[in-house]
């Protein structure tokens, strides 16, 4: 399977999409009142889409997954540009750290990172940190699921086999949550696979199915730490 989507629940997809389109310099695929889809292509590496569906009642004060944007030597300039687009500084108790914590126009926390060698060739998103009850176990789960490879990082981390694109980083400790994550990942099996085979494979690696009331063509699972992800219908992977 391939990691295809980063999904951010949005109260106003077009307003929030305008921010993230500029922040990531992404291509517009879909621009509808209830759904915005943006494509981010990493030269020589993977592509994936940032999807912003309309979701009522979004509560994002305790996210388990967030985005770390690349900053490096241009960190201060990038922070200034993001604030001009509508981001605001955010204090989550981080104290004195070399990265800058901001919130997007709907309050979703994200960070702008300082220079780190492991973020070379990442593109605009340096990392996707995921809260984990067991970082080594969860890294093994996602490696089996999507085929990304272990790489150097402050915490157990995976990267696309090209060596380019963001790091998927597994951070110790779970933030309590009362509902579903409002940022999650979607994966797509290859053409020729079946949904049943793909779900069974994920369950064998340690996922479990999530009870829900939505009538959707994909399957909603949770990783071993309880972070939701979706398996999309098998198809061409680009």
């Amino acid at each position: 399977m391939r990691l295809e989507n980063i999904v951010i629940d949005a109260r106003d997809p077009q307003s929030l999409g305008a921010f993230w389109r500029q922040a990531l310099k992404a291509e517009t695929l879909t621009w509808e009142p209830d759904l915005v889809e943006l494509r981010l292509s990493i030269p020589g590496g993977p592509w994936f889409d940032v999807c912003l569906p309309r979701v009522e009642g979004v509560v994002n004060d305790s996210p388990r997954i967030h985005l770390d944007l690349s900053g490096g030597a241009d960190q201060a300039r990038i922070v200034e540009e993001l604030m001009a687009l509508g981001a605001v500084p955010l204090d989550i108790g981080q104290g004195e750290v070399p990265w800058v914590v901001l919130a997007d126009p709907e309050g979703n926390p994200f960070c702008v990172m300082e220079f780190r060698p492991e973020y070379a060739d990442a593109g605009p998103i340096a990392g996707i940190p995921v809260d984990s009850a067991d970082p080594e176990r969860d890294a093994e789960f996602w490696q089996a699921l999507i085929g990304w490879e272990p790489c150097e990082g402050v915490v157990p981390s995976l990267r696309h086999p090209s060596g380019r694109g963001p790091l998927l980083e597994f951070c110790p400790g779970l933030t309590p949550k009362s509902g579903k994550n409002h940022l999650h990942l979607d994966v797509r099996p290859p053409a020729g696979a079946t949904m049943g085979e793909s779900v069974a494979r994920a369950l064998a690696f340690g996922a479990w199915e999530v009870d829900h009331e939505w009538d959707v063509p994909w399957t909603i699972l949770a990783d071993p730490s309880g972070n939701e992800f979706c398996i999309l219908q098998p198809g061409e992977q680009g």
Side-chain angles (χ1 to χ4, degrees), residues 20-145:
W20 283 107
R21 178 171 60 184
Q22 287 296 107
L24 301 175
K25 304 298 189 290
E27 173 191 357
T28 303
L29 297 182
T30 303
W31 194 261
E32 302 291 344
D34 291 333
L35 176 65
V36 166
E37 295 177 304
L38 309 172
R39 175 150 299 179
L40 192 58
S41 299
I42 310 301
W47 63 265
F48 51 89
D49 296 339
V50 178
C51 302
L52 299 100
R54 183 182 297 277
V55 176
E56 301 299 330
V58 176
V59 178
N60 49 18
D61 54 350
S62 299
R64 284 188 174 190
I65 305 177
H66 68 273
L67 300 182
D68 284 347
L69 303 192
S70 298
D74 294 325
Q75 182 188 51
R77 176 185 61 79
I78 290 171
V79 168
E80 184 177 336
E81 291 176 354
L82 290 166
M83 291 179 65
L85 293 173
V88 295
L90 185 64
D91 185 352
I92 56 173
Q94 67 267 24
E96 293 294 326
V97 293
W99 56 86
V100 178
V101 183
L102 300 175
D104 72 15
E106 289 197 0
N108 297 294
F110 67 97
C111 301
V112 182
M113 303 305 292
E114 76 284 7
F115 171 78
R116 294 184 190 179
E118 59 265 35
Y119 292 149
D121 299 320
I125 300 177
I128 307 170
V130 180
D131 284 3
S132 171
D134 185 333
E136 294 286 353
R137 176 202 63 193
D138 289 350
E140 290 178 0
F141 169 83
W142 282 96
Q143 180 184 3
L145 190 71

Side-chain angles (χ1 to χ4, degrees), residues 26 180 237:
K180 75 182 184 73
Q237 301 191 18

Side-chain angles (χ1 to χ4, degrees), residues 13 71 76 120 128 145 151 174 176 225:
I128 307 170
L145 190 71
C151 64
L174 285 178
S225 285

Side-chain angles (χ1 to χ4, degrees), residues 226-238:
N227 296 308
E228 298 89 352
F229 68 98
C230 297
I231 297 183
L232 306 176
Q233 289 289 334
E236 296 299 327
Q237 301 191 18

